[in-house]
């Protein structure tokens, strides 16, 4: 009990007071196929770092609502939106692609700041060093709690002789076969997963910095042979040896501190930036709220929900809130609604048994969901992030009345 209390306090302290995610850790390439967005769709997504909200906007839906209880996460998306509206592409890419701009303080003061809301100005007025390169962690992608972990990993890559060179060579490889050959021939696994590193990866404090609560860690410990440590090692080895890294911007930014023009999220490409600047960015709005509370006051139906992995920790700590959140989803859903979520668990068994009211009667949630299991399994195999245990696509059959 004491250990769980300490873990919860650590996780809450990290998440309530800090920017946790400086980049999204969910692959929107999967989401694009799963969501099948059309011009009439309204999307609700948990904000995280806002990268994927902008990616969805590039599919030209009616609206993208980015909802998060962490004001810092919404402020980051608002900063990106303001920068899209006020900066040229080259400056924008330096800030959010390279993660550093030597003239950021001037750009922020004269151009970006006036386009921000008052609360968001207050947040970024105190954090101009996140982007100006003057701090020891000189890239934005080494800032925030997950960025701090990435910075520590980058420092670690410099310690074993030749490890960083091997990693950079793998990132530059043209084929998966070349990646695997370099990984094995250079002994990357032995260098990367030393005994101290394996110990660090099993700590709740480390996982909290990455946005992983103890509840998720316990799910993996229960369901994966070797527990969380083996899970992480196996997933990273799969990324290095079996998934093309040439366009894997998720791992590139965490291993190097920056994107490249050919390996970055869609909103950072010139074409993506131009389309957002031309008006698509205006379809994105942020909301500092819980999913349930937002839906209770939102007066239009939502046809697409992207719930990330937050149900894992919500179920472990507040199963009553999970049920009421699903009730709000059922209540506010449009016809032909589709819902995506991810989980640390290899198999989620806590969603279907939830009870909600539909057509005035208590109903088992599983009776309202039609899972696209084959599509989800097919897409999950190609996930460039490859750190989640499972991926779900579910259509909602009927809405509450």
């Amino acid at each position: 009990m004491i250990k769980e209390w300490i873990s919860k306090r650590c996780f809450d302290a990290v998440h309530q007071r800090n920017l946790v995610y400086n980049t999204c850790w969910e692959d929107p390439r999967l989401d694009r196929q799963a969501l099948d967005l059309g011009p009439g769709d309204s999307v609700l997504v948990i904000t995280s770092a806002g990268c994927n909200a902008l990616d969805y906007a590039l599919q030209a839906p009616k609206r993208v609502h980015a909802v998060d209880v962490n004001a810092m996460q919404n402020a980051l998306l608002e900063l990106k939106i303001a920068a899209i509206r006020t900066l040229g592409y080259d400056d924008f890419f330096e800030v959010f692609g390279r993660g550093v701009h030597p003239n950021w303080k001037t750009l922020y003061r004269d151009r970006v700041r006036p386009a921000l809301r008052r609360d968001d100005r207050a947040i970024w007025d105190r954090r101009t060093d996140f982007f100006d390169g003057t701090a020891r962690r000189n890239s934005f992608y080494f800032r925030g709690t997950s960025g701090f972990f990435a910075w520590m990993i980058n420092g670690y890559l410099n310690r074993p002789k030749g490890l960083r060179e091997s990693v950079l060579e793998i990132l530059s490889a043209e084929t998966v076969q070349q990646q695997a050959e370099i990984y094995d021939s250079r002994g990357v696994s032995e260098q990367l997963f030393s005994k101290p590193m394996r110990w660090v990866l099993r700590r709740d404090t480390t996982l909290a910095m990455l946005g992983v609560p103890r509840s998720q860690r316990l799910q993996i410990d229960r369901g994966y042979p070797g527990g969380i440590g083996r899970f992480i090692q196996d997933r990273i080895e799969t990324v290095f040896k079996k998934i093309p890294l040439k366009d894997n911007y998720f791992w590139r930014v965490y291993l190097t501190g920056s994107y490249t023009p050919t390996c970055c999220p869609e909103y950072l490409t010139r074409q993506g930036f131009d389309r957002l600047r031309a008006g698509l960015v205006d379809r994105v709005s942020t909301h500092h709220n819980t999913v349930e509370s937002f839906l209770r006051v939102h007066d239009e139906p939502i046809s697409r929900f992207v719930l990330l992995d937050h149900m894992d920790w919500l179920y472990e700590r507040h199963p009553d809130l999970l049920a009421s959140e699903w009730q709000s989803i059922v209540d506010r859903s449009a016809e032909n609604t589709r819902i995506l979520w991810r989980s640390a668990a290899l198999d989620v068994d806590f969603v279907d048994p939830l009870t909600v009211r539909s057509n005035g009667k208590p109903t088992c949630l599983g009776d309202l969901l039609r899972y696209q299991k084959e599509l989800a399994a097919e897409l999950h195999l190609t996930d460039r992030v490859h750190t989640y245990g499972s991926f779900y696509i579910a259509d909602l059959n009927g809405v509450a009345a």
Side-chain angles (χ1 to χ4, degrees), residues 66-224:
V67 181
D68 210 297
V69 295
N70 185 337
M72 285 289 296
Q73 301 300 151
N74 287 327
L76 175 56
L77 177 52
E78 289 291 345
L79 186 70
K80 291 178 179 179
I81 291 171
I84 288 169
R85 289 172 173 158
T86 60
L87 299 181
Y89 174 72
D90 291 340
D91 283 329
F92 182 77
F93 188 85
E94 287 297 307
V95 176
F96 290 107
R98 305 292 183 193
V100 59
H101 195 303
N103 297 322
W104 170 245
K105 288 185 178 179
T106 300
L107 288 175
Y108 173 73
R109 182 193 65 220
D110 296 344
R111 298 167 67 177
V112 179
R113 187 178 186 276
L116 288 172
R117 301 177 302 199
R118 183 178 63 182
D119 290 348
D120 299 321
R121 289 178 185 175
I123 287 173
W124 295 114
D125 284 353
R126 299 191 299 270
R127 294 172 174 85
T128 54
D129 65 332
F130 272 31
F131 297 95
D132 67 7
T134 60
R136 187 178 181 188
R137 289 183 278 155
N138 60 356
S139 167
F140 169 67
Y141 294 106
F142 293 152
R143 306 309 294 263
T145 55
S146 59
F148 180 67
F149 181 78
W151 179 69
M152 290 194 300
I153 290 296
N154 269 262
Y156 177 79
L157 292 180
N158 293 326
R159 295 178 67 86
K161 184 178 180 180
L163 179 57
R164 176 172 293 281
E165 290 74 14
S166 298
V167 168
L168 292 176
E169 192 173 346
I170 291 171
L171 289 174
S172 300
E174 293 293 326
T175 67
V176 173
Q177 181 180 354
Q178 290 177 357
Q179 292 173 200
E181 289 174 353
I182 297 167
Y183 189 89
D184 290 335
S185 65
R186 302 288 177 83
V188 172
S189 180
E190 292 76 13
Q191 290 182 304
L192 189 58
F193 297 105
S194 63
K195 187 175 181 179
M197 177 58 72
R198 292 199 302 270
W199 183 88
V200 167
L201 292 175
R202 291 195 299 268
R203 300 304 99 192
D204 287 343
T205 304
T206 303
L207 297 174
M209 285 193 296
L210 296 173
V212 179
R214 182 173 171 80
S215 57
Q216 282 190 330
R217 177 255 176 86
L218 292 175
Q219 287 183 58
I220 297 174
D221 279 339
R222 289 193 296 262
Y224 197 84

Side-chain angles (χ1 to χ4, degrees), residues 343-393:
S343 176
L346 302 179
D347 183 40
V348 169
D349 60 3
F350 54 77
V351 171
D352 288 355
L354 296 173
T355 299
V356 296
R357 294 191 68 83
S358 180
N359 295 318
K361 299 178 181 179
T363 305
C364 185
L365 182 57
D367 293 336
L368 298 179
L369 298 176
R370 184 176 70 252
Y371 289 93
Q372 303 295 332
K373 293 183 179 180
E374 291 186 6
L375 177 60
E378 176 185 341
L379 293 176
H380 188 51
L381 289 175
T382 65
D383 184 0
R384 289 173 290 182
V385 178
H386 216 72
T387 57
Y388 288 104
S390 52
F391 175 56
Y392 296 87
I393 307 169

Side-chain angles (χ1 to χ4, degrees), residues 256 310 382:
T256 68
H310 89 290
T382 65

